[in-house]
């Protein structure tokens, strides 16, 4: 057996590589929910961490490992590759498939598990919107996926939305820039795959019962409307992020307006071109657009590492907190006071055994939402500590763990 990795961990040697993956004993496995896959995939415990192991050929394992490492360096949302295991043999000397090992993405779920928890039309719509954003980010990076689907994606909660991460890069290709045809093929495939996945999701009697219990008529959820939403969401984002905008010299304010719109979408413009023509028209096109505008800003202010919409929600609360209590104080000092007076009390109110149910930033978002609803109902401001205690008792305690075993 041979393990090739950039992150040596002796614990990997303790896994039963001499057995086919489907025969691994339960004591080394973690009972995490798995999405659909053409390969055998298992989650295994390696010391204090959990890894996903996928059996495939040595060629495909090495290729996918390299692609995932490149995507990580580019900052594109994807799982983190750990190692490639080759030269596996059974005790009888029979050759076994190679394996790709990736780190388990904490607090992530396959789309089926999310829809099972919240069986509503807007749940699948929010998942599709997250997938559309992921495809845009991949395409901006020059990555052609070749197998776009909900099944090849993991999702994390991100305030009231979801953040999507690429899981399977086996069919992917990296190019300096994608052609319109490559992007179009990915989107056409996404339209087909998502429609099929939603139809399959709705076909099960159990899911139909769950929808009916939630007050949703299964017949009202149209897989083709949902897959078309993916296409329209992708095309709208791509147009806003890449299209050339033309305006007169006297409308120079539109440059800042375009940048502000991109920031609101969660993207930073690292470079843009401004060209004027003989008719006095100015042509603006952002050349390099990077996702994570709000999360980078929050990280700089507080050190919190969050998803984009979580960061947006927390930044809004920091701004409102400063205006109400510390008007005129610089933003960095306001953020530090918010951490001391809002963040720390919220996290202190969460019992240790419940902290594996949500990421810290998601807990903060949900407590802030809970505080708002309690204040509206009471007709007065509710203290953060009171809202956090009620949130734990009335909501969080009843939720399933999303970091550990399901």
């Amino acid at each position: 057996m041979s393990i090739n990795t950039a992150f040596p961990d002796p614990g990997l040697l303790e896994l039963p590589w001499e057995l086919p993956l489907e025969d691994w004993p339960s004591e080394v496995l973690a009972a995490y929910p798995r999405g659909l896959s053409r390969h055998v995939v298992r989650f295994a415990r390696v010391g204090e961490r959990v890894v996903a192991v996928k059996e495939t050929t040595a060629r495909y394992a090495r290729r996918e490992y390299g692609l995932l490492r490149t995507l990580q360096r580019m900052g594109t949302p994807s799982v983190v590759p750990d190692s490639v295991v080759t030269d596996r043999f059974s005790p009888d000397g029979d050759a076994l498939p190679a394996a790709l090992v990736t780190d388990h993405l904490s607090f992530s779920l396959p789309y089926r598990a999310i829809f099972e928890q919240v069986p509503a039309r807007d749940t699948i719509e929010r998942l599709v919107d997250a997938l559309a954003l992921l495809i845009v980010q991949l395409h901006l990076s020059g990555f052609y996926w070749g197998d776009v689907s909900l099944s090849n994606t993991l999702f994390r909660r991100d305030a009231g939305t979801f953040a999507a991460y690429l899981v399977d890069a086996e069919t992917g290709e990296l190019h300096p820039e994608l052609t319109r045809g490559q992007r179009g093929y990915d989107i056409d495939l996404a339209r087909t795959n998502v429609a099929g996945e939603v139809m399959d999701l709705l076909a099960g009697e159990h899911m139909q019962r769950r929808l009916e219990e939630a007050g949703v008529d299964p017949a009202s959820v149209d897989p083709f409307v949902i897959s078309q939403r993916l296409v329209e969401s992708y095309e709208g984002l791509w147009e806003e992020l890449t299209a050339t905008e033309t305006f007169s010299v006297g409308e120079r304010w539109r440059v800042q307006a375009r940048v502000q719109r991109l920031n609101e979408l969660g993207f930073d413009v690292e470079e843009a071109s401004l060209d004027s023509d003989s008719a006095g028209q100015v042509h603006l096109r952002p050349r390099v657009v990077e996702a994570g505008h709000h999360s980078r800003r929050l990280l700089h202010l507080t050190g919190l590492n969050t998803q984009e919409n979580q960061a947006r929600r927390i930044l809004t609360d920091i701004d409102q907190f400063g205006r109400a209590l510390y008007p005129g104080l610089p933003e960095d000092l306001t953020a530090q006071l918010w951490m001391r007076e809002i963040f720390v009390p919220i996290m202190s109110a969460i019992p240790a055994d419940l902290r594996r149910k949500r990421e810290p930033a998601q807990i903060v978002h949900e407590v802030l939402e809970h505080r708002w609803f309690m204040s509206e109902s009471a007709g007065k401001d509710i203290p953060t500590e009171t809202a956090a205690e009620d949130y734990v008792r009335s909501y969080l305690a009843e939720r399933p763990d999303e970091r550990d075993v399901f």
Side-chain angles (χ1 to χ4, degrees):
M1 179 194 63
S2 174
I3 299 179
N4 298 297
T5 177
F7 315 99
D9 183 347
L12 286 172
L13 297 171
E14 300 176 8
L15 295 177
W17 298 110
E18 72 282 1
L19 298 176
L21 193 53
E22 59 186 6
D23 294 336
W24 279 19
S26 59
E27 55 263 27
V28 303
L29 299 179
Y32 282 28
R34 298 194 301 269
L36 300 178
S37 174
R38 68 174 69 90
H39 301 283
V40 178
V41 178
R42 294 291 184 271
F43 293 105
R45 299 189 180 277
V46 179
E48 295 297 316
R49 67 193 184 103
V50 173
V51 297
V53 184
K54 178 176 76 173
E55 284 187 334
T56 183
T57 66
R59 173 173 173 266
Y60 280 116
R62 293 190 184 100
R63 182 177 180 279
E64 187 170 2
Y65 176 83
L67 282 171
L68 288 172
R69 287 205 66 191
T70 301
L71 289 175
Q72 284 294 306
R73 288 194 293 270
M74 297 168 72
T76 307
S78 56
V79 293
V80 177
D82 179 279
S83 54
V84 174
V85 183
T86 56
D87 302 320
R88 297 173 59 207
F89 293 93
S90 72
D92 296 330
D94 296 327
L96 296 175
L100 172 69
V101 182
T102 57
D103 288 344
H104 170 64
L105 188 63
S106 296
F107 295 101
S108 66
L109 293 168
Y111 76 99
R112 287 176 172 270
I114 292 174
F115 198 75
E116 171 69 24
Q117 288 185 23
V118 189
R121 184 185 297 102
D122 66 340
T123 301
I124 198 70
E125 290 172 349
R126 285 183 288 147
L127 292 172
V128 163
D129 289 344
L131 178 58
L133 176 57
L134 174 62
I135 301 169
V136 167
Q137 292 174 268
L138 292 170
H139 285 180
L140 287 170
S141 301
F143 183 80
Y144 165 75
W145 197 339
D147 194 13
V148 185
S149 67
L150 292 167
S151 298
N152 286 337
T153 312
L154 283 174
F155 298 90
R156 277 175 161 171
R157 297 184 189 278
D158 183 10
T161 64
F162 294 100
Y165 290 76
L166 176 143
V167 176
D168 193 325
E170 184 175 299
T171 57
E173 299 173 3
L174 271 170
H175 301 271
E177 185 176 345
L178 295 186
T179 66
R180 183 186 295 270
Q182 287 170 320
R183 292 194 301 106
Y185 183 83
D186 253 0
I187 293 304
D188 285 343
L189 186 61
R191 186 205 311 262
T192 301
N193 284 346
V194 167
E197 287 169 322
V198 175
M199 285 186 355
D200 184 58
L201 190 65
L202 299 174
E205 292 184 6
H206 172 70
M207 188 55 67
Q208 290 187 10
R209 284 197 302 271
R210 292 280 289 125
L211 283 167
E212 290 168 354
E213 290 168 0
V216 179
D217 179 3
S220 70
V221 184
D222 190 330
F224 297 101
V225 170
I226 290 172
S227 65
Q228 182 60 30
R229 179 190 179 98
L230 170 74
V231 176
E232 292 172 357
S233 180
Y234 170 88
E235 290 177 344
L237 275 171
W238 187 264
E239 177 72 13
E240 183 64 74
L241 295 174
T242 66
T244 299
E245 187 171 352
T246 302
F247 49 89
S248 67
V249 174
E251 296 178 297
R252 284 172 291 182
W253 58 268
R254 290 177 62 175
V255 176
Q256 184 57 37
R258 177 74 177 275
V259 172
Q260 186 173 347
R261 291 202 307 273
L262 294 175
N263 290 165
E264 284 299 310
L265 288 170
F267 290 83
D268 281 334
V269 179
E270 293 188 342
E271 182 181 341
S273 65
L274 276 171
D275 304 304
S276 60
D277 59 26
S278 58
Q281 297 292 300
V282 177
H283 307 278
L284 166 68
R285 182 180 181 183
R287 290 184 181 274
V288 180
V289 188
E290 185 180 0
H293 171 78
H294 296 95
S295 56
R296 280 191 296 275
R297 181 177 159 217
L298 183 66
L299 180 64
H300 172 73
L301 288 171
T302 66
L304 294 176
N305 194 0
T306 67
Q307 306 293 339
E308 184 65 8
N309 284 303
Q310 291 167 347
R312 190 196 308 264
R313 177 66 181 88
I314 290 173
L315 285 167
T316 298
D317 198 69
I318 290 174
D319 180 65
Q320 294 172 345
F321 168 84
R323 289 173 185 271
L325 299 178
Y326 302 99
L329 199 67
E331 184 182 50
D332 57 340
L333 295 180
T334 301
Q336 294 308 310
L337 288 168
W338 181 90
M339 289 289 292
R340 187 180 71 189
E341 298 180 29
I342 302 297
F343 180 82
V344 171
I346 286 176
M347 296 312 300
S348 297
I350 309 300
D353 62 328
L354 299 184
R355 292 181 183 177
R356 306 181 82 85
K357 293 178 179 289
R358 295 283 193 272
E359 291 179 281
Q362 184 66 22
I363 286 176
V364 170
H365 159 72
E366 292 180 358
V367 169
L368 294 177
E369 291 288 291
H370 195 73
R371 185 185 66 185
W372 185 88
F373 283 116
M374 288 183 68
S375 298
E376 184 182 48
S377 177
K380 63 180 181 179
D381 287 339
I382 298 297
T384 300
E385 294 89 338
T386 302
E389 292 170 1
D390 189 75
Y391 163 80
V392 169
R393 182 176 58 255
S394 65
Y395 181 79
L396 187 63
E398 304 301 321
R399 305 274 75 77
D401 283 0
E402 291 191 358
R403 181 177 175 181
D404 251 347
V405 179
F406 284 75

